[in-house]
C-alpha cells in the first residue's frame, strides 16, 4: 500500500470510481479476514480412540515419571 501516493482528481466521476475501487478492495479484504478468523477458531477434528488412549498413556507415564523423580529427590535431600 502506498501511503505517500497522492492522486489528483479532476472530476466527481473520478472520485466515485476511486471510491468504488477502494470499497471493493475493503470488502475483499474483509471476506479474507472473516475466512481466516473462522479457521483460527475452528474446532479440531475428533480424534480416534486409539490416539486418545495413546495420549492418555503418554500423559500418565509422564506423570508417573515426574512423581518418581520428585520422590527420589525428596528422599535424597530430606533433612535427617
Amino acid at each position: 500500500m502506498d501511503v505517500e501516493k497522492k492522486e489528483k482528481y479532476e472530476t466527481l466521476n473520478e472520485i466515485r470510481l476511486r471510491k468504488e475501487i477502494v470499497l471493493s478492495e475493503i470488502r475483499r479484504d474483509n471476506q479474507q479476514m472473516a475466512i481466516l478468523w473462522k479457521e483460527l477458531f475452528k474446532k479440531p477434528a475428533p480424534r480416534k480412540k486409539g490416539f486418545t488412549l495413546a495420549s492418555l498413556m503418554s500423559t500418565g507415564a509422564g506423570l508417573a515419571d515426574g512423581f518418581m523423580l520428585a520422590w527420589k529427590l525428596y528422599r535424597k535431600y530430606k533433612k535427617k
Side-chain angles (χ1 to χ4, degrees), residues 39-54:
E39 287 178 9
L40 182 65
F41 292 105
K42 187 165 71 170
K43 290 184 179 180
R47 292 195 222 167
K48 296 183 179 180
K49 287 187 179 183
F51 291 117
T52 304
L53 181 62

Side-chain angles (χ1 to χ4, degrees), residues 13-42:
N13 286 332
E14 290 176 356
I15 294 173
R16 286 186 189 113
L17 181 63
R18 178 67 180 147
K19 179 182 173 184
E20 290 175 13
I21 292 171
V22 170
L23 196 57
S24 67
E25 290 174 358
I26 290 172
R27 287 183 178 139
R28 186 179 61 241
D29 289 344
N30 192 19
Q31 288 175 349
Q32 289 175 348
M33 287 191 315
I35 290 170
L36 291 174
W37 186 260
K38 287 179 184 177
E39 287 178 9
L40 182 65
F41 292 105
K42 187 165 71 170

